[in-house]
Each structure stands twice: as C-alpha cells, then as structure tokens.
Amino acid sequence: MRFLAAFLALPLLAQVDTGAISGTVSDASGAVIPNVQVTVTHLDTNIKTALSTNASGFFAAPSLKVGRYTVGATAEGFRPEMRTSIDLHVQERLEINFTLQVGSSASEVTVTAAAPLLESETSSLGQVMEQKTITDLPLNGRNFIQLATLTAGTLPSSRTAERDNFIANGARAIQNSYLLDGVENKNRILGFDKGVAQIVQPVIDAIQEFKVQTSTFSAEFGQAAGGVVNVTLRSGTNQIHGSAFEFFRNSKLDALPYFQPAAGGRPAFLQNQFGATLGGPVRKSQTFFFASWQTSREVNAAPQIGSVPLQPVRDGNFGATRMYDPATVRTNPAGAGFVRDLFPNNIVPASRWDPVSVKFAALFP
C-alpha cells in the first residue's frame, strides 16, 4: 500500500528583499471607490499582480520584486488610469493613489509617475545603491560593501580582521546583519572563516541593488544592532541579456613601493578579475534564469615586512630574556606551587632543540 502526502505552505508576507505598492482610489469629489480592479505589472518579466480595492478604496500589493512597474486602475463607469515608470527599490513601500474620472472605458488616462520626495509609508533610515552605482564606481577588488560607507552614519571599520564590513551609528561591525535575497548571509553566526563578514560574496555584476539601513528598521531585522545590508540579485527577464568583463591591474602603472629597494625596480603585480553574466526566459512571463561567474588570477611579488630572529637567538642565546629549563620543574619545597631553574646564561644548548625547529630556523633569511 502506498500513501501520498501533500503539504501546503502558506506564504509569509515579510518584505525582506522586496518592496510594496499601495494606495487609495477615489473619484473627482474625493469619495473612495470600492471594488476597483488594480493591476500591478513588472515590466521586465510581464508578471502581473491583480487585486481589488476594499470598502475603503484601499489596495496593497506586498512582496513585489524590485524593478520598474506599471499600475493600472479600472472601474465600471470611470475612465481607466495607468501609472507608468514606477521604480520600486528593495524595502521600499510606495504610495500610488488614483483619482478616477467619470467617463467611458474606451479612453484611458496615462500618467508617468515620478519618485516621491518623501517616503511616508515607513520610518526606516537608509540608502539604496542601484546597479549603475555598483558597476560604475571604482571598487578595489570589486567588493560592493565598500559602497556601504556612502550611507549617512557609516564609517569604514579598521579594528577588525574582516575585510568587508563597516561601522553604522557607532555600533560594532560584528553587530551588522547581511542578507542575500532575504537569506541571512552573516559569517559570524555560522562560524566560518572570520576573515570575511559574508558567507557568499556575490559578483557585483549580478547585484540588482542593495540597501543599507542604519536606524529604525522593522522587527524582521531583529538580529541586527548595527546596520542591515540587504542585497537583491538580478533576475532573468523576457529578453536574453548578458555581459562579459575583465579588470586588469599591472605593476608597470604603479609607483615604487616605499620599502622596495630602488635598485630592485618595481615588484611584479598582475591581477586579472574576469567573468560573465547571462539571463533570460525559460518560459516567457513565467519562469526565468540568471547566472553569474567570476574568477581571479594574481601574481604578487610585493615586498613584505616581517620580524626574523637574529643569529644569537638562532644559536640559542636569548641574552637578557630569562629562559627556564622545563625539564627542571619540581614541587616548591618552600610552599605551594612549582619551581624551575634557568638555563645557564639564558643559553639553550643545541642538544635541547627540537629537530624540526632546527630545520625551520635555517630557513630564516
């Protein structure tokens, strides 16, 4: 006997990496109009979201993918109205209101929307970095998080081993939260390499946009006491699109490093970062794909500064530094604890050196 089990998952309306469009539909006298058919259309994918106004004339379309939209309102006895060129960004809540005019449905009113000067639907403080900003501004190593410091209230972080973080409103860099398409991307939580703040480092050509929120963000970002970096990746559209890139650095274009001997010339440094992106439809207006790839090649012969033991130390002579013989550790006859003897003249005899350490010491310049 075989059993078939079906599980239903109810969608959650938290808008981590999406936006929302809402508004009110009224007539010329200001009276609200219920049961108005409102259609929200994503222009790149032609995906439509259909809804109706309630008894108060209000409509809301949550969890919309970022991008450019048109919003249309249609009601019996009124001329249809269309709002075009509406740019929706990550975590943005736009208010688009309609005032329908009495008339025939054969004619339509089209209004080109402008970005609102004030976002009245949320009190969150932050800044959106769009795709053009991400790809056009110079970034050392193509690390997009360097742009986070363009947000008000942020500073570069210099007292941490992580290479891709920042300080928001005086909080520690470790208190920031990093999201990638709505999924937690913070390295410290999962205990991986502490040299980077993010688990997945997205290719900047694959980033649609990202938003840095620094204050009064909603409860869905409860893990963050500092800033929130919310990254949204690009999606395929109804048109096939792609790109290829290479960024090249050559030491012949660099100045002579300060610690490099003048007779040695410029040390060799060659860096190539290259990759490609490709996106398009699997089934138009329904299913899409997008892929990105990047790799790096580097040859680096830059001078390095380090401390090496002097010859007396390599011979076992530590001078004024007190060196105790671990083989002489014994119980303190005068009381609690242990005592041990110094090596004569603080010189460790060669017979006491570990064979591996002897070979290792010979490698020092």
Side-chain angles (χ1 to χ4, degrees):
M1 181 179 295
R2 296 181 179 179
F3 297 91
L4 177 64
F7 297 91
L8 299 179
L10 297 178
L12 299 178
L13 299 182
Q15 299 184 175
V16 177
D17 65 327
T18 57
I21 296 177
S22 61
T24 304
V25 182
S26 59
D27 60 19
S29 66
V32 297
I33 309 175
N35 299 320
V36 177
Q37 300 302 311
V38 179
T39 303
V40 181
T41 305
H42 190 278
L43 292 180
D44 289 334
T45 60
N46 200 36
I47 293 178
K48 301 180 185 295
T49 302
L51 46 131
S52 301
T53 58
N54 59 14
S56 301
F58 177 78
F59 71 91
S63 302
L64 297 175
K65 187 71 176 176
V66 299
R68 178 159 289 194
Y69 285 84
T70 62
V71 182
T74 305
E76 185 177 355
F78 294 89
R79 297 167 62 186
E81 185 170 326
M82 179 75 68
R83 298 291 180 87
T84 63
S85 302
I86 300 174
D87 290 320
L88 181 66
H89 300 293
V90 60
Q91 275 289 303
E92 191 171 37
R93 294 168 173 82
L94 295 181
E95 181 180 7
I96 306 295
N97 297 320
F98 290 88
T99 302
L100 301 185
Q101 304 296 325
V102 176
S104 171
S105 60
S107 60
E108 182 180 77
V109 178
T110 302
V111 179
T112 301
L117 298 178
L118 180 64
E119 186 178 354
S120 58
E121 299 299 303
T122 177
S123 61
S124 176
L125 180 63
Q127 182 173 345
V128 174
M129 301 296 173
E130 300 183 25
Q131 183 183 1
K132 180 175 176 59
T133 302
I134 298 170
T135 56
D136 288 357
L137 289 180
L139 296 172
N140 185 15
R142 290 172 55 80
N143 183 5
F144 77 94
I145 207 67
Q146 297 170 17
L147 298 175
T149 54
L150 297 179
T151 306
T154 62
L155 289 171
S157 176
S158 58
R159 301 184 64 182
T160 175
E162 297 173 343
R163 301 185 297 272
D164 56 346
N165 58 20
F166 62 97
I167 297 171
N169 292 332
R172 294 185 177 184
I174 195 177
Q175 296 175 308
N176 296 336
S177 182
Y178 301 89
L179 300 171
L180 183 62
D181 275 346
V183 179
E184 183 66 48
N185 195 31
K186 188 174 182 180
N187 204 7
R188 289 271 185 171
I189 290 180
L190 298 181
F192 291 118
D193 176 22
K194 294 181 173 56
V196 292
Q198 302 174 78
I199 301 172
V200 178
Q201 299 286 328
V203 180
I204 66 172
D205 294 78
I207 298 176
Q208 176 73 24
E209 63 183 36
F210 71 93
K211 184 173 185 179
V212 181
Q213 296 171 267
T214 57
S215 181
T216 62
F217 35 80
S218 61
E220 57 194 320
F221 304 110
Q223 295 186 12
V228 176
V229 180
N230 203 335
V231 181
T232 298
L233 298 180
R234 295 170 62 186
S235 170
T237 66
N238 279 330
Q239 303 296 326
I240 295 179
H241 59 278
S243 63
F245 58 87
E246 179 174 2
F247 292 85
F248 175 60
R249 291 180 61 186
N250 193 319
S251 55
K252 292 183 179 180
L253 303 176
D254 296 340
L256 188 68
Y258 181 82
F259 291 102
Q260 178 72 13
R266 293 183 181 88
F269 181 79
L270 303 176
Q271 184 185 67
N272 296 80
Q273 290 180 291
F274 52 93
T277 65
L278 180 65
V282 175
R283 188 173 182 181
K284 282 197 172 183
S285 303
Q286 294 187 22
T287 309
F288 311 90
F289 76 92
F290 185 87
S292 63
W293 166 74
Q294 175 180 289
T295 188
S296 300
R297 302 288 187 270
E298 182 177 305
V299 176
N300 189 352
Q304 305 293 324
I305 305 300
S307 298
V308 296
L310 299 177
Q311 189 59 47
V313 175
R314 294 185 219 178
D315 295 336
N317 186 352
F318 290 86
T321 304
R322 298 168 67 87
M323 300 298 297
Y324 290 91
D325 187 351
T328 62
V329 176
R330 59 193 182 277
T331 303
N332 186 3
F338 298 88
V339 294
R340 53 187 175 174
D341 299 331
L342 288 168
F343 280 107
N345 300 320
N346 293 321
I347 298 176
V348 180
S351 60
R352 301 292 299 277
W353 284 92
D354 181 79
V356 176
S357 299
V358 173
K359 296 179 180 180
F360 182 77
L363 299 177
F364 283 111

